[in-house]
Amino acid sequence: MAPHNLPMTVIGAAILWFGWFGFNAGSALAAGELSTSAFVATHLAAASATLSWMFTEWIHRRKPTVLGAASGCVAGLVAITPASGFVTPLSAILIGLAAGAVCYGAVMMKGRLGYDDALDVVGVHCVGGTLGALATGLLATTVVNAGGANGLFYGNAKLLAIQSLAVVVVLIYSFSVTFGLLKILDKVMGLRVSREDEMMGLDLSEHGEAGYNW
């Protein structure tokens, strides 16, 4: 990413962080203890994941980056979403720390596995969401939400089993439907431009204009 685009990235991440409060805390449908708990958990997880990603990147590449911090923020927001309103602030911090490091590792695996993912959706959203769903099965407690259930660390292994099954079902469903839709689109209109257009860049080849001033 060109340096002059970093301010826009940071602004976008900040807006996303702010908006996620409405996404998670707003799910309580009322301003009360539960929405406050979800609000705090969301903020702590995002902040923890931002730091965790940066430190992991620092250890791995010797340099933390602004883009990495923004990615860590998103990873934390994704991971805490299944758990917000069900976990304590300390658990939210733990989920954030795990999300930053694990999602960074998942993104780094993209090169080895060779799949195309320009926005790191698999590494951040898929892996982060899976981690958060499983963490809910570990760390959820009725102390925070009496309408929920205790997780494994609070004496209820059944919730972890339910969360694990849900993760497997969602992954299979998402992959199957996406694969089917992509196959249909490939037959109808094609999924990939020519190598020449790819090397030129889609901004020029598809839209006839430059998207970035390098």
Side-chain angles (χ1 to χ4, degrees):
M1 177 175 292
H4 62 273
N5 291 315
L6 287 177
M8 295 300 293
T9 301
V10 174
I11 291 172
I15 293 173
L16 191 66
W17 194 328
F18 174 75
W20 221 284
F21 292 135
F23 186 58
N24 284 352
S27 296
L29 302 180
E33 293 182 1
L34 188 57
S35 61
T36 302
S37 174
F39 187 103
V40 171
T42 299
H43 187 59
L44 291 176
S48 301
T50 300
L51 292 174
S52 177
W53 185 297
M54 289 178 63
F55 279 116
T56 304
E57 188 175 34
W58 200 346
I59 292 170
H60 179 239
R61 299 176 56 189
R62 304 301 180 188
K63 290 182 180 180
T65 64
V66 175
L67 181 59
S71 300
C73 159
V74 176
L77 293 170
V78 170
I80 196 58
T81 295
S84 63
F86 297 96
V87 299
T88 64
L90 178 58
S91 294
I93 292 174
L94 295 176
I95 291 173
L97 292 175
V102 171
C103 289
Y104 175 82
V107 170
M108 291 300 102
M109 289 296 294
K110 180 174 64 175
R112 294 187 179 183
L113 297 178
Y115 63 89
D116 187 7
D117 185 7
L119 299 178
D120 293 326
V121 173
V122 173
V124 175
H125 288 268
C126 177
V127 173
T130 298
L131 186 152
L134 296 177
T136 304
L138 295 172
L139 299 166
T141 172
T142 54
V143 172
V144 173
N145 189 341
N150 286 323
L152 177 63
F153 292 165
Y154 291 88
N156 180 24
K158 183 179 180 181
L159 182 61
L160 178 59
I162 293 173
Q163 292 293 103
S164 300
L165 177 61
V167 165
V168 173
V169 170
V170 169
L171 288 175
I172 293 175
Y173 173 81
S174 300
F175 178 84
S176 301
V177 173
T178 302
F179 185 80
L181 290 174
L182 290 176
K183 281 294 184 182
I184 293 173
L185 288 174
D186 191 30
K187 295 295 183 181
V188 174
M189 56 185 291
L191 286 179
R192 191 166 189 172
V193 298
S194 66
R195 180 169 177 79
E196 290 75 16
D197 287 347
E198 205 171 69
M199 295 301 293
M200 181 188 300
L202 297 185
D203 291 321
L204 287 174
S205 63
E206 294 291 305
H207 305 290
E209 56 187 4
Y212 301 98
N213 296 318
W214 299 104

